[in-house]
Each structure stands twice: as C-alpha cells, then as structure tokens.
Amino acid sequence: MSKQRFKAILESQKRPIIEVKEEGRRSDFFAKNVFNEDKMIQYLTKDALNSVKGAVFSGSKIDRKIADQVAEAMKAWAISIGATHYTHWFQPLTGATAEKHDAFFDLLPDGKALEKFGGGQLVQQEPDASSFPSGGIRNTFEARGYTAWDPTSPAFVYDTTLCIPTIFVSYTGEALDNKAPLLRALNSIDEAATAVARYFDKNVSKVNATLGWEQEYFLIDKALAHSRPDINMTGRTLIGNAAAKGQQLDDHYFGVIPQRAIGFMKDLEKECTLLGIPVKTRHNEVAPNQFELAPVYEEANLAVDHNLLLMDVMEKVADKHHFKVLFHEKPFAGINGSGKHNNWSLATDTGVNLLSPGSTPMKNLQFLTFFINTIKAVDTYEELLRSSIASASNDHRLGANEAPPAILSIFIGEQLGNVLDELEGVSQGKLSPEEKTELKLNVVGKIPEILLDNTDRNRTSPFAFTGNKFEMRGVGAKTNCAKPMTVLNTIVSKQLRAFKKEVDALIDTKNLKKDEAVFNVLREYIKTSKRIRFDGDGYSDAWQKEAKRRKLSNNKNCPQALRVLTASKTIALFKATKVMSETEIRARQEVELEAYILHVQIESRLFGELVYGYVLPATITYQNKLIKNVTGLKDIFGAAHRPLAGGQLSLIEQMAEHIATLKKMIDAMGDARKKANKISDTHKKAVSYCENVLPYFHTIRQHCDSLEKLVDDSVWPLTKYRELLFIK
Ligand code: ADP
Ligand code: MG
C-alpha cells in the first residue's frame, strides 16, 4: 500500500466524533444573521422600509438617498453582530458563487480611521471581472463587469462578512451571470400569470414562482478524498473497482444516519437556520455515504440563492468535520449518483397555490388553466428545458436508470389524465346550460382537493405532477437551479401570454363567456400537447422508441443538448419575454460549451496521470514480484517449474496485456485531444471531445479496474471504493 493511502486510511479511522449541541427551538434563531423585514423595521425609517418593500413587490427603483440610508442601517446591523467586511455576492457563469471582500474600515485624509459603507457601495461595484467567463460579451481587456444590488434577496452575514446578493452585468447591461436572467424570467411570469389569475380573482396583483429543491450529496472523509487525485481535481472517481458491497442490500436508504454524519448535519442545520435557509428534512439516500437535504419551498429567486449559499456553507462545515462534500452527479461508478429535484409552482399574493386543485369548480378551472398551460409550454419547449440541465457531469447520470432519461415527458397520473380526456370531448364554441353544469359538476368539480396520494407513483418521469406542484427530476446535483428555473418560468410565461390572447379574442369576437372561452382554448391545448404526456416507465427501451415516434427530442449528451439554445425559436422566445437578448443567449451557449470542453479535457489529462503515475507503476511492481517468484521456482525446479508457475505466468501475461492496451489507449486519447484542440468552432470542438475523446474513458477505466483486482493490495496506491465509502 502506498504511504499516502495508508496514512489516509489511518487518519480517517481515528476521527473523533464532533458533538454538536442542538440550540433549543430553531424558530428562536431562524434568520438571525439575515437583514430581513424584522431588522429593517428596527433599523430603517418608514420611507426607506416602504421603498425597499416596493422594490421587492413591484421592482420599483430605490433612489440614491434611500440607498444611503439602507446602507447605513445594514452596516450598523452587520457590525452589531460582528461583521468587519462586506461583499457583493454574485453568480458568474462558472456556476458557483463569487465574492470579493472589502473591509468597512477606511481612512480619512487626515488619517482618522472609521467604518464606512454608503449607498454607492451597496448599489454597485466593479469587481476586476476579467477572469470570469463571458462568452465573448465583454472584451477581456476592458474587464468591465458590474455587480448591482438585488433587493429582492436579503443581505446576510456569514462568518464576519456582510454578503449582498447582486446581479453581474457587463458595461453595456448584458447579463454575465445566472441571476439577472432569472430575475427577468420571474418578472415575466409574474406579469403573465397575474393577468391570467385575474380571470378568476380580481384581487390578485402578484404571482411568485416557488421553488423547493432537494439536494443530494456524498460525504467522504477528507483525508481519503485528498488521497485521490481524481476526487481532488474533478470531484469524482475516474477509476476504481466497485466494492464487493455497494447499495445492493438497500441498507443505506432511510437507514440510521451514521454518527459522524449526524454531527455534520446538526452543525450545518444550525448555520442554515442562522442564515434563514429553512432546512426541513435530512435522510440517507440510496448509495452508501449519500444523503439528502431539503428545505421548505420559497420564492424562486430566494430559493436559488439559498441553494447556492447552502452548497458554500456545506463545504465549510464539512471541512470542520473532516469531510469533503461531493456534489458531482456521478462520483462513483456502480452506485447511484446525485441529483437535485426542483419542485415548482406558482403562488399568488392572495395566498393561493395556482397548481393546487381547490374545493369549488371555479378554483379547479383556475387550477386546470395553469396545469394545462404548463403542460403545453413544456411540450412546445421540451428540448430547451432539457438543455437547461445539460452539463458534462450530468451526462453521466441522465438516462442511466437511476435518473430520468434525456427525453422530457410529463407524468400526471391516471386521475388527472381522465379529467383531461373528458375535457377534450367538450364541444366547440358556446356551451348549453346542461353542458356547463355537467362540466362544472362532474368533470372539473370531481378533481379532488388532495391528489397527493394518487400522483407521486412514477419516479422515472423527468417532470411529474405531484399533487400541487411539478417536480423536475433531471436537474444535476451541482447545477445552479437558476438555469432550469429561468427556462421553465420563461416558457410558461410565454405560454400564458398566448393563452390570454386567445381567450380574450374568443370573448371579444365570438361572444363567449369567460369560462366557455377558457374551456375552448384548454381543450385545444390538451389535444395538441398529448405527445408530452407519458405515465409509463421512463427507463424502458420501449419509451425510447415511442418517444422517437412522437418526435420528442432525445439529446443524450451535453453538446447535442446545447444546440437548441441558438435555434431561432429559442431566440424569439427569450426576446419576446425580454429575458435574454440574442447576444446574451449566444454568449451563454459559448460559455456552456467551453465548460464542457474544459471538463472533458481535464478528466482526459488526469486519466493519463493516473495511468502512468499510479496504475502502471503499481502493476509493474507486482509483476516484477511474480517474475522473481517464477525465476526462483526455475532455480529450484529447473525445467519442472512450468506447471508449478502456471498461475503466476498467466497473471504476468494478463498484466502485460493490460499495460500494453492502456499505453496504447492513453496515447491515442492524447492524439484525439490534440486534434480536437485544433478546431476553432466551439460547438464542433465540444462535439469532437464528446465523440472522439470521451469514449476512451470507459475502456481505460475497465482496464484499470481489472488491474486493481489483479494487483497485490499492498502495492495498490489509490484508496479503494471499499475504503472511501461506508463512513461510520
Ligand atoms: P419527495 O420528492 O422526496 O417525495 P415531497 O414530495 O415531500 O418530497 O416534497 C418535496 C419538496 O417539495 C419539498 O422540498 C417542498 O419544499 C417542495 N414543495 C412543496 N410544495 C411546494 C410548492 N408549492 N412549490 C414549490 N415547492 C414545493
Ligand atoms: Mg423529490
């Protein structure tokens, strides 16, 4: 065993359990470190408070004087709980969050020291942004990117830094981040959904998209994780023979959480509670060392920020508990990977969940309106929605029989399927009084208020209706939820606008009553969006064939999935909803493709390092030992040694074959990389990496894993699966 592997195992076995005391009732310290409404009431004048609330509710501008007041109040509050620095906290297109800390501390010209933070610093900053990906929007030499305050997500203090959520835009106003388009999409759906909700209730003046994510992750002992260059560099194991025991006994799922993990979770939940992240459930997942955390759902922008913040906080808390958190979608072969379900719905400012069936026919008609429009939107833009969850790492998980396939479809369950079938039979145009009564009482009225039990049976569906929300299940564990949420809210917004136009036209020109017009349009949508509905087994081969017949897209890899971003239909969609300009969308595609190329390139290089630096030397060491043994036998037995050394000779031969193949493959993969690197068109280059470089990974891995099985454990240098997994 290499010294490094031995030391890591020893260290991991000696970990003390870190006891964490639960601090009484969580509601007592919830959001203590957040500059939320409670603190604003305490620290702001009425005018300033109303101005911030106006900005949150309707996006109204906050003038500079008020911003100064808010900054002053934020500073006073932050310092009172120990903050010394502030930062604009933003989401560059790398997918992670970024921050640059500045001290409140400042010096006046006369040398007097003071703590300074004004409206100017609150509202806008110019980080040296030249190293963030921009897809060509911002010339690097200009380096001009601005962060601007997002008052809809409250500032918070983490450790000793006041963090101010911001958007990140170029000098010319184009989004360089994931938050700016999300805010525009949320604004767009607010407008569109409010207009439609007012058909049913004139009191509605705002609709918020809601998001409840469920974060899956792995915990690995820090020393063990660090002993593996692949985990360190790529967040996953590139090679590694499966442990004899994996998840086949199903003994981890919902099992007793290991003591060390409980300590980490308690600490994490304490931090989250202070930061206002409403964490609610924790449990073991399917694979050994895999866990899940889910909060109560929130307004989508806040929920996205909270998920990103959670991922940051998890890494820090894990470190304290001598763990490394893996968010990679497929850290270990042979056992389940990690996803992040996105539960989504729409909520009015009158307290109604628009995707929740109600107790009256009118409420149910409202439910059906939003339900069917969502189905129609997903049907029209299924390929775009698929693209929003595309990444190099998620390619390992989608369609691998543990996560939904790359084909988008919607599961609604038998009961609602029947309701839609009946609605489809409604006659066109005006309805007779009998027809209306029949519809209202026997079709719409029959939708039970609580569908929850009936609808959540199909875990293979990528987009399932679960009683009062839709659940998007293909989202990767690492993915910034802002991406799928931007697309989902944009497409539903576009759809609701079209719906409103059609309904209004029927009312105006055909003289239909409102509910008749609504029924008429919904009936057409049910007919035209049928192909997206699928209640069967999404993992089956039959579905792959059936989906093809239905002309649903099936983009199995990231470069393929990203193509649709620059289709004219996509550009028109983002333009019409004012979510992204053509420049912004093209830049995004460029950045995503670039990220794909870099990920595959890094992994490919690392394969070379692992094979030449670890696998081959260990194999040769053992092979030499065997050769020595065979030579020894020959010395003793002479020509009679052959039958005695049969096993050894065959092992020597097998190893020689693996060594030769590995050498050939690594060299050929290097050549494929060189060829791909010469391609200047980003999309073609990504395709080349996908089709000509990536396919080597699987075969190289197979040879390495076979060698791991053959070679003497005591010389194998890389920490094995059975040591990495199964924390106590
Ligand atoms: P699971 O998918 O593991 O069976 P549940 O169905 O209980 O879990 O719920 C999952 C998530 O749904 C929770 O994180 C919750 O916050 C979220 N959720 C519940 N209602 C809504 C809603 N109206 N909008 C968005 N998310 C919601
Ligand atoms: Mg779920």
Side-chain angles (χ1 to χ4, degrees), residues 279-522:
V279 288
K280 189 148 171 85
T281 52
R282 60 181 181 211
H283 60 77
N284 286 0
E285 263 303 325
V286 174
N289 281 24
Q290 192 189 25
F291 306 94
E292 180 185 294
L293 179 150
V296 178
Y297 70 91
E298 299 175 285
E299 183 279 319
N301 174 42
L302 188 58
V304 166
D305 281 0
H306 278 166
N307 180 246
L308 290 165
L309 181 57
L310 171 93
M311 290 165 81
D312 285 352
V313 174
M314 274 173 96
E315 285 181 347
K316 289 178 180 141
V317 176
D319 195 62
K320 196 171 127 193
H321 289 257
H322 309 290
F323 281 129
K324 185 174 169 71
V325 196
L326 305 185
F327 290 116
H328 194 285
E329 282 80 1
K330 193 73 186 172
F332 302 97
I335 53 175
N336 276 16
S338 302
K340 178 152 58 196
H341 292 175
N342 277 204
N343 296 274
W344 171 89
S345 189
L346 294 169
T348 67
D349 58 336
T350 53
V352 172
N353 175 354
L354 293 169
L355 286 173
S356 185
S359 48
T360 63
M362 200 56 181
K363 276 189 189 150
N364 278 336
L365 186 56
Q366 172 176 284
F367 157 70
L368 283 172
T369 297
F370 286 92
F371 179 67
I372 295 168
N373 271 289
T374 304
I375 295 174
K376 177 81 178 152
V378 174
D379 178 58
T380 312
Y381 294 103
E382 43 92 21
E383 194 171 5
L384 181 62
L385 198 56
R386 154 71 180 104
S387 79
S388 73
I389 54 170
S391 69
S393 49
N394 211 17
D395 277 359
H396 296 289
R397 194 174 150 268
L398 289 182
N401 277 8
E402 56 177 277
I407 309 161
L408 256 175
S409 65
I410 302 184
F411 171 88
I412 63 171
E414 198 185 333
Q415 231 173 340
L416 281 169
N418 290 341
V419 171
L420 296 201
D421 289 346
E422 288 192 61
L423 276 181
E424 206 186 325
V426 172
S427 51
Q428 223 172 344
K430 274 207 165 310
L431 300 172
S432 68
E434 296 77 36
E435 270 181 313
K436 256 193 192 175
T437 314
E438 159 71 15
L439 252 182
K440 285 192 175 162
L441 290 183
N442 292 333
V443 181
V444 180
K446 265 195 326 204
I447 303 173
E449 210 166 326
I450 308 234
L451 282 162
L452 290 164
D453 285 347
N454 186 274
T455 46
D456 199 15
R457 296 279 177 253
N458 191 330
R459 308 299 289 181
T460 68
S461 175
F463 201 91
F465 185 69
T466 52
N468 57 2
K469 61 191 182 292
F470 280 100
E471 177 167 11
M472 210 174 152
R473 298 204 178 111
V475 185
K478 263 203 310 191
T479 306
N480 181 341
C481 305
K483 290 199 275 184
M485 283 298 113
T486 298
V487 170
L488 181 57
N489 287 295
T490 302
I491 64 178
V492 177
S493 157
K494 174 89 188 320
Q495 178 50 48
L496 287 169
R497 281 161 210 267
F499 170 78
K500 174 113 192 340
K501 227 171 161 179
E502 288 182 64
V503 170
D504 285 349
L506 285 181
I507 295 171
D508 290 347
T509 60
K510 295 258 165 72
N511 217 7
L512 295 193
K513 288 259 165 37
K514 190 173 61 195
D515 47 1
E516 283 168 344
V518 168
F519 274 128
N520 266 279
V521 178
L522 290 183

Side-chain angles (χ1 to χ4, degrees), residues 34-71:
V34 182
F35 194 64
N36 57 9
E37 197 172 331
D38 284 355
K39 273 75 156 200
M40 284 195 246
I41 291 172
Q42 215 181 320
Y43 280 85
L44 289 180
T45 61
K46 235 196 176 124
D47 275 356
L49 177 65
N50 287 336
S51 181
V52 175
K53 279 168 90 173
V56 174
F57 190 81
S58 61
S60 57
K61 285 239 165 349
I62 294 175
D63 77 38
R64 186 51 191 273
K65 262 205 200 113
I66 299 277
D68 277 335
Q69 266 196 49
V70 177

Side-chain angles (χ1 to χ4, degrees), residues 197-264:
R198 285 170 66 88
Y199 278 148
F200 308 97
D201 180 0
K202 286 276 174 244
N203 294 317
V204 174
S205 49
K206 186 174 176 68
V207 172
N208 274 329
T210 54
L211 165 65
W213 40 262
E214 304 162 55
Q215 179 73 54
E216 291 182 336
Y217 62 96
F218 277 82
L219 282 179
I220 304 297
D221 183 90
K222 190 162 70 178
L224 297 176
H226 286 331
S227 73
R228 296 271 318 210
D230 45 1
I231 296 184
N232 265 343
M233 298 273 138
T234 69
R236 71 166 177 130
T237 54
L238 293 182
I239 60 178
N241 184 39
K245 175 177 184 280
Q247 63 193 41
Q248 64 270 59
L249 297 177
D250 282 333
D251 51 357
H252 193 254
Y253 193 48
F254 279 45
V256 178
I257 302 174
Q259 275 303 309
R260 270 188 73 191
I262 278 278
F264 158 80

Side-chain angles (χ1 to χ4, degrees), residues 150-165:
D150 166 21
T152 63
S153 180
F156 55 90
V157 170
Y158 185 60
D159 197 14
T160 53
T161 303
L162 169 68
C163 302
I164 301 149

